Amino acid sequence: MEKFKMVLDIATKQNSLGFGAVALVTAGGEQFFSVAMFSCPCNDLNFVYGMVFLLVPALALLLLGYILSKKTWKTLTGVCQRRAALCRWRRLTVICTALFQVSSTALVAPASWIAVALINGKFYECAMTGTNVTAYNKYLCGEKGSRLQCQQELYRLPCGTGISVPQLDRQDVLLTLKAQSQVLGWLLVASIMLSSLLLTCVARCTSPISYLQIRFWRDYVHEESSLMDSYTTKHAKQLAERNVKSFFNKTPSEEIITPSNKDWEKISSLYTFSTKDNYYSTLHRAVEDCQEVDNGMIRLTSVKSNEPVDPNPLVLGFVMMARCDKIFQHQRMSELGLEQFADT
């Protein structure tokens, strides 16, 4: 699971490269399952057995993609405590956009599984020989001389044992099923690629910022997320060590500044991009808002723009998390009435 999570993180940050890695890992898993674990029962359970191997792993991969996505939990955490906010159209739109972006990433693995499984053909072949649709069974067996035997023993054809159907007729039926499976598989691959292309084109066409700024933003979000993870771990370790030492040594604890609940709430909310306030994340916005004049500090205006406000571009619907310890020290010192030390 850790390796799958790592690949999923790469897919989220590197787009096409990461999606390709997820698809390759999923294809390898499908090949392993089809060779090492799959064995068609050749009885009345053919249809159920084949469909379980075709669809259930895809469902599991989809759910795993949602579970391992940070954006999923960032979107859902605290939603039940803020039900009134859900009634606002803008807030609901942001949540739906975030869930759509999570879904587009989570669907890569299950779609790859189904496509590779269909191209391989074993699951489909087993499942369709277990159908009880008379018209379809007649279509498979065709006008062969052994048509009646073929229809009656259709579920035994994948195994090839205990049947009275000639070997050539059996091969014809299995080749027909494999051809149908492969056609469906390649149609699924083409539809996925076409949908991805269309969504990317729409997102880029409606983006209010340039291509180079999009690349810069993506790099910034990646670095901010990495620093957030490492700094959070380091800060949590320092706080834990202080508390443990203070408990066992019975000494006064050292002061360690930790963000308040309000501070965490600011940087954990879903971010909506605006070209007027050219922030790149909720942390960036929180840091700049800390410089307000009413706190006795000068507002930094280097990121301000006089351009009109544009809606959040679909291509950059990031949900970013990070922190900056110095700014939070400003806030905590301000609360303690120590503004004169805040700028030192």
Side-chain angles (χ1 to χ4, degrees), residues 245-257:
K245 289 180 180 179
S246 178
F247 175 77
F248 283 100
N249 297 332
K250 303 300 180 182
T251 57
S253 60
E254 301 176 1
E255 182 180 5
I256 295 181
I257 304 299

Side-chain angles (χ1 to χ4, degrees), residues 103-117:
S103 300
S104 63
T105 302
L107 281 170
V108 174
S112 301
W113 175 279
I114 295 176
V116 174

Side-chain angles (χ1 to χ4, degrees), residues 15-55:
N15 289 342
S16 59
L17 178 62
F19 291 155
V22 172
L24 288 176
V25 171
T26 306
E30 191 279 334
Q31 290 295 319
F32 171 78
F33 270 80
S34 63
V35 173
M37 301 185 65
F38 182 78
S39 179
C40 189
C42 295
N43 55 31
D44 294 338
L45 293 176
N46 279 18
F47 182 79
V48 176
Y49 188 81
M51 285 300 173
V52 165
F53 269 82
L54 181 63
L55 300 179

Side-chain angles (χ1 to χ4, degrees), residues 186-204:
W186 285 115
L187 287 177
L188 178 61
V189 172
S191 62
I192 292 173
M193 299 300 293
L194 181 60
S195 300
S196 177
L197 176 62
L198 292 177
L199 287 175
T200 303
C201 290
V202 172
R204 293 302 174 91

